[in-house]
Amino acid sequence: RTLPNLSPWSLKLETWLRMADLPFTNINNEFKKFSTKGQVPFIELNGEQIADSNIIIEKLKEEFGKADMDPTDPMDQALASAFSALAEDHLCWTLFALRSQLGFDYLLSDDGFGRHHGSGLMKSIQHLIARPLISRHMTYRAQGQGMGKHTPDELHAMANKALASISVFLGDKPYFGGERPTTLDATMFGHLAPFVYTWTPEGKLTKSVKETYPNLGKYVERVKEKYWPDWDETCSTMDMNTHKNKE
């Protein structure tokens, strides 16, 4: 109820589609339908299934002539690739690993998946079953990726170092690409928004984004206001296809 999608890669893709002004329809995967690669998000385009947000975006740029969503200067392209990797392969995993170690109860709250577990005794039973399953899943993924091997203090330090670099790179520009949004902006928004709108251990990283590196917090709000006018409607109604998409 605080974020349209808990997957930063799914949020990234939908934000990119909105930035590129491409029409699309969301299909609810009901927490059990995944691509042939076992991933979300995935799309269907001309009868073909395409998985992985980066591969999807490259395919859509080619299909719909959206090459201008990326910089043309080789140096800018290199920087965009580096910062994209910093967000997707490093920063988001610090938060995932922290949650695997310090708590994931927000996932079972009504702001997360708890609303799907009924109420009363049934909800308690569902949570009793879900808690160890989620714990094992998150621990296994965090350990396999590598971040899960670090201590909470180390993870907080790594996250703040990454946020500091991202903050310096953004500076006072409206977008990471300058005056207009690029694919990197969709990536950054998808991975920074969870730090602002979902629970972080002790709220430390939320405070970092909002106060220590305020240009990042303002950036998230700026992109949200411009490309997600239906944000509140999406979160309150749980409707993945709001009036904006239907229009």
Side-chain angles (χ1 to χ4, degrees):
R1 295 183 187 276
T2 60
L3 194 70
N5 202 308
L6 283 174
S7 163
W9 295 277
S10 296
L11 186 60
K12 157 196 169 181
L13 176 59
E14 183 160 354
T15 301
W16 186 88
L17 286 164
R18 290 165 179 248
M19 288 177 171
D21 198 25
L22 293 179
F24 63 95
T25 300
N26 269 310
I27 305 298
N28 188 352
N29 73 353
E30 300 172 354
F31 304 108
K32 60 185 179 182
K33 298 174 184 175
F34 299 90
S35 73
T36 55
K37 295 180 179 179
Q39 293 177 305
V40 291
F42 63 93
I43 68 166
E44 183 177 290
L45 177 67
N46 299 327
E48 176 189 4
Q49 183 191 107
I50 307 169
D52 188 282
S53 61
N54 288 315
I55 295 175
I56 291 169
I57 288 174
E58 288 304 312
K59 180 69 174 180
L60 292 176
K61 283 192 293 189
E62 178 184 339
E63 182 77 15
F64 295 101
K66 295 295 181 176
D68 61 346
M69 290 291 291
D70 287 323
T72 56
D73 181 81
M75 181 62 74
D76 290 337
Q77 292 174 355
L79 285 170
S81 294
F83 275 91
S84 179
L86 179 64
E88 296 198 301
D89 302 328
H90 184 81
L91 178 63
C92 77
W93 282 100
T94 62
L95 183 55
F96 192 94
L98 279 166
R99 286 170 170 169
S100 75
Q101 296 179 21
L102 300 180
F104 48 84
D105 284 348
Y106 82 99
L107 286 175
L108 297 176
S109 72
D110 286 341
D111 284 339
F113 301 130
R115 63 185 179 276
H116 298 287
H117 296 160
S119 60
L121 180 61
M122 179 57 69
K123 187 171 188 175
S124 297
I125 293 173
Q126 291 271 27
H127 282 194
L128 189 65
I129 295 171
R131 190 176 299 278
L133 293 176
I134 293 174
S135 177
R136 284 197 298 270
H137 173 71
M138 293 185 70
T139 300
Y140 173 78
R141 290 194 66 190
Q143 289 281 336
Q145 195 273 343
M147 281 293 180
K149 302 180 185 297
H150 302 301
T151 68
D153 285 345
E154 290 170 336
L155 289 167
H156 273 111
M158 290 178 182
N160 273 293
K161 187 173 182 179
L163 290 170
S165 295
I166 294 169
S167 174
V168 170
F169 182 48
L170 176 62
D172 59 1
K173 301 190 299 291
Y175 299 105
F176 284 92
E179 294 299 317
R180 64 181 184 85
T182 62
T183 298
L184 179 60
D185 288 286
T187 300
M188 285 300 182
F189 179 78
H191 287 82
L192 289 173
F195 286 81
V196 177
Y197 301 111
T198 63
W199 176 84
T200 62
E202 301 177 8
K204 289 181 178 179
L205 293 178
T206 299
K207 185 176 181 179
S208 291
V209 174
K210 288 184 173 182
E211 299 178 18
T212 308
Y213 311 107
N215 63 332
L216 297 184
K218 292 175 182 177
Y219 167 81
V220 170
E221 287 294 326
R222 184 162 57 249
V223 174
K224 172 189 168 185
E225 289 180 9
K226 183 171 180 62
Y227 294 103
W228 284 89
D230 53 342
W231 183 283
D232 291 339
E233 180 185 354
T234 301
C235 293
S236 62
T237 65
M238 304 294 166
D239 187 348
M240 299 169 69
N241 293 291
T242 60
H243 69 281
K244 174 178 171 58
N245 288 350
K246 292 171 183 174
E247 288 171 358

